[in-house]
Amino acid sequence: MTQTAAQNTHSVGQHTGSGRQHGSPVARIALVGDRSPNVVSHTRIPLLLEALAAQEGLVLDAYWIPTEDAEQEGAVRGFDAVWVLPGSPYRSEAGALAAIRTAREDGVPFLGTCGGFQHALLEYARDVCGLTQVAHAENDPDADDLLIAPLSCSLVGHEGTVTLTPGSLAESVIGADKSLERYHCSYGPSAHTETLSAHGLRFTGHDEEGLIRVAELPGHPFFLATLFQPELYGDGTRPHPVVRALARAAVDHARVPTTA
């Protein structure tokens, strides 16, 4: 992590002084998003961090990185995981995309939820598939080629069943082939999904109508994106399996010695 990036991060929750708890290393996680008390998923983060430490022995040293700061070179390097959170439109689309690209290219565990899911697809389309002109309707509503467009039916406050692909990371993490999930979004993928699949991105979760709700990247240590918001699971005192899996992946990453 660069010195400049470190100066622009904001610590979350309580951190141990020893660097270890319950025999596991403390993992450093970048929470990328524009933090707001009006975004419910953001207010859940401290509860989730406490629960992961107390119930799972998974200690995450978490730092919020505003999307504008995430534009800086190396802003999320040195972290053990990157989580791009809901709360779009982000103040900096470029910052959100830069954080996703770093996690993808550097093999750092990544989770994108709601807006993070949408921007993970956008980053992959532009940087891997060469679809440089695709856009997100929330950021650029007049664009000619919308990869992410308004949903025909808003999912704000919606709860629905997601069917998971057998053998996928998503199914392994959740431990079932179906899961009831909560949403709070109005945008989703609308075009070029076959091109993304042809270039290696795998869509492994669909709703009752067969619409894409989960994406993952085979061959990456942990790269998962969900249109639903696992932060909204329960009352925040029992982390969703997706959140637990990210925390485990981050701790595993922290165990790997770094080279100078």
Side-chain angles (χ1 to χ4, degrees):
M1 178 178 182
T2 64
Q3 182 178 6
T4 303
Q7 292 171 342
N8 287 321
T9 57
H10 305 280
S11 179
V12 182
Q14 297 180 346
H15 310 138
T16 63
S18 64
R20 289 182 177 270
Q21 184 169 321
H22 304 295
S24 296
V26 173
R28 300 176 68 252
I29 182 170
L31 304 173
V32 179
D34 304 313
R35 192 177 187 183
S36 170
N38 299 319
V39 178
V40 176
S41 65
H42 294 184
T43 67
R44 288 286 184 91
I45 295 298
L47 290 174
L48 293 173
L49 294 175
E50 291 175 5
L52 286 166
Q55 299 169 20
E56 310 288 337
L58 300 169
V59 184
L60 302 183
D61 194 13
Y63 292 82
W64 278 94
I65 301 182
T67 56
E68 292 167 319
D69 292 349
E71 289 188 48
Q72 300 176 40
E73 178 68 25
V76 299
R77 286 202 170 95
F79 285 95
D80 297 302
V82 174
W83 186 353
V84 179
L85 287 154
S88 60
Y90 301 126
R91 290 199 291 268
S92 171
E93 176 186 276
L97 297 179
I100 295 165
R101 181 170 185 170
T102 297
R104 178 179 59 78
E105 293 184 338
D106 291 359
V108 175
F110 168 80
L111 177 63
T113 53
C114 195
F117 165 91
Q118 297 158 16
H119 285 73
L121 269 58
L122 191 63
E123 188 279 326
Y124 203 82
R126 290 180 180 175
D127 297 331
V128 177
C129 303
L131 300 172
T132 57
Q133 300 304 310
V134 295
H136 190 311
E138 194 172 35
N139 306 327
D140 191 0
D142 297 324
D144 294 328
D145 193 359
L146 292 175
L147 179 76
I148 306 297
L151 296 169
S152 58
C153 183
S154 172
L155 292 176
V156 172
H158 178 72
E159 190 174 70
T161 299
V162 177
T163 299
L164 304 167
T165 301
S168 65
L169 172 63
E171 185 204 37
S172 173
V173 162
I174 291 176
D177 61 359
K178 292 183 184 295
S179 183
L180 187 65
E181 302 294 350
R182 296 181 183 180
Y183 298 83
H184 195 84
C185 64
S186 300
Y187 295 85
S190 66
H192 300 297
T193 54
E194 290 184 0
T195 301
L196 270 65
S197 294
H199 282 78
L201 195 65
R202 191 178 181 204
F203 298 115
T204 58
H206 298 78
D207 70 2
E208 298 96 326
E209 298 178 359
L211 300 175
I212 295 167
R213 297 296 178 251
V214 181
E216 59 189 68
L217 186 58
H220 190 283
F222 186 96
F223 191 101
L224 190 61
T226 69
L227 189 62
F228 61 82
Q229 293 190 16
E231 307 91 343
L232 302 182
Y233 175 73
D235 61 2
T237 60
R238 293 179 59 248
H240 188 285
V242 165
V243 176
R244 291 202 308 269
L246 176 69
R248 290 193 188 101
V251 169
D252 287 345
H253 189 273
R255 287 194 176 102
V256 178
T258 57
T259 57

